[in-house]
Amino acid sequence: MNLTHTQLFRGLKESEITSLLGCLNAAERSFHKGEVILSEGSVTENIGIVLSGMAVISCNDIWGNTSILGNAAPGTVFAEVYACIPGQPMLVTVSAAEDTSVLFMNVGRIMAVCTHACPFHTKLTRNLLTVCAHKSLQLSQRIQHTSSKSIRGRLMSYFSECVKRSGSNSFLIPYNRQQLADYLNVDRSAMCNELSKMQKDGVIEYERNRIRLKV
């Protein structure tokens, strides 16, 4: 993972990033598929950035029902909100959807004024604020997708976002069927039936995670 291509380190040179990683007590860890990276109720002072693989962010109610809130692909930051609030227990669980490598960094050292007053530290702080703003936008998008009362409406809202983001009517979704159902807050079987109906109606074509929207 080339960190210069990530949103958190945007505008920074490799030499500047190398210097910052030492300042931030950065440490890389690897997780197997299904392994919990950060658990609900835990407290963290570190933000994570996915270097490879995929992480899924979810929450569970007291009855054991799971809701998928989002995913973290390579280059994506997670746990930044909790790390920025000292002592705040996490309300979500972050798990490895596949074998995943994560770089952890101490957020306190990002927020603190660098003793060397280096300009690239200021850039990093500004980038972190941008990351938080994007996460807020993603949460708003999920609320929009789940506002429809019908399963088809929720699917079409999500697929519309995927088309806009990819710039193509053909795109890959980062979730398996159960995860997509959890993300849209619908029953998996009912959603799969609706996908079949949508394909039969000529609205979409799909093969596994590849979706083509016919518009």
Side-chain angles (χ1 to χ4, degrees), residues 27-77:
E28 183 177 344
R29 286 189 59 192
S30 296
F31 299 87
H32 295 298
K33 180 179 179 180
E35 190 174 355
V36 172
I37 299 173
L38 290 172
S39 61
E40 181 179 347
S42 64
V43 174
T44 182
E45 296 180 348
N46 296 318
I47 63 172
I49 183 168
V50 177
L51 300 178
S52 64
M54 178 75 70
V56 172
I57 302 166
S58 63
C59 65
N60 297 293
D61 62 24
I62 59 174
W63 296 280
N65 300 311
T66 299
S67 294
I68 301 295
L69 303 180
N71 67 88
T76 302
V77 172

Side-chain angles (χ1 to χ4, degrees), residues 69-204:
L69 303 180
N71 67 88
T76 302
V77 172
F78 62 87
E80 69 285 347
V81 173
Y82 298 99
C84 287
I85 306 176
Q88 173 62 49
M90 293 191 62
L91 302 177
V92 299
T93 294
V94 183
S95 306
E98 55 189 76
D99 289 348
T100 301
S101 179
V102 176
L103 183 69
F104 289 102
M105 295 162 285
N106 186 279
V107 76
R109 290 177 174 259
I110 297 178
M111 305 300 291
V113 177
C114 180
T115 55
H116 302 291
C118 50
F120 46 88
H121 198 133
T122 302
K123 286 183 181 179
L124 181 65
T125 304
R126 188 182 302 117
N127 288 347
L128 179 59
L129 179 60
T130 301
V131 167
C132 291
H134 275 285
K135 289 295 182 68
S136 178
L137 178 60
Q138 289 172 358
L139 180 58
S140 297
Q141 288 173 330
R142 182 174 186 265
I143 293 173
Q144 178 183 346
H145 299 330
T146 56
S147 63
S148 175
K149 294 182 179 180
S150 71
I151 295 177
R152 181 171 296 203
R154 297 186 182 196
L155 286 166
M156 291 301 289
S157 177
Y158 176 64
F159 292 162
S160 176
E161 179 202 332
C162 291
V163 168
K164 293 176 181 178
R165 187 171 60 243
S166 66
S168 170
N169 289 349
S170 180
F171 50 87
L172 284 170
I173 59 174
Y175 305 119
N176 60 34
R177 292 292 184 266
Q178 184 60 62
Q179 291 168 341
L180 180 59
D182 290 339
Y183 177 74
L184 296 176
N185 198 25
V186 296
D187 178 76
R188 179 185 180 278
S189 297
M191 185 196 72
C192 289
N193 288 337
E194 190 59 43
L195 284 170
S196 297
K197 290 178 183 177
M198 291 168 70
Q199 181 158 256
K200 188 178 296 183
D201 292 343
V203 178
I204 63 170

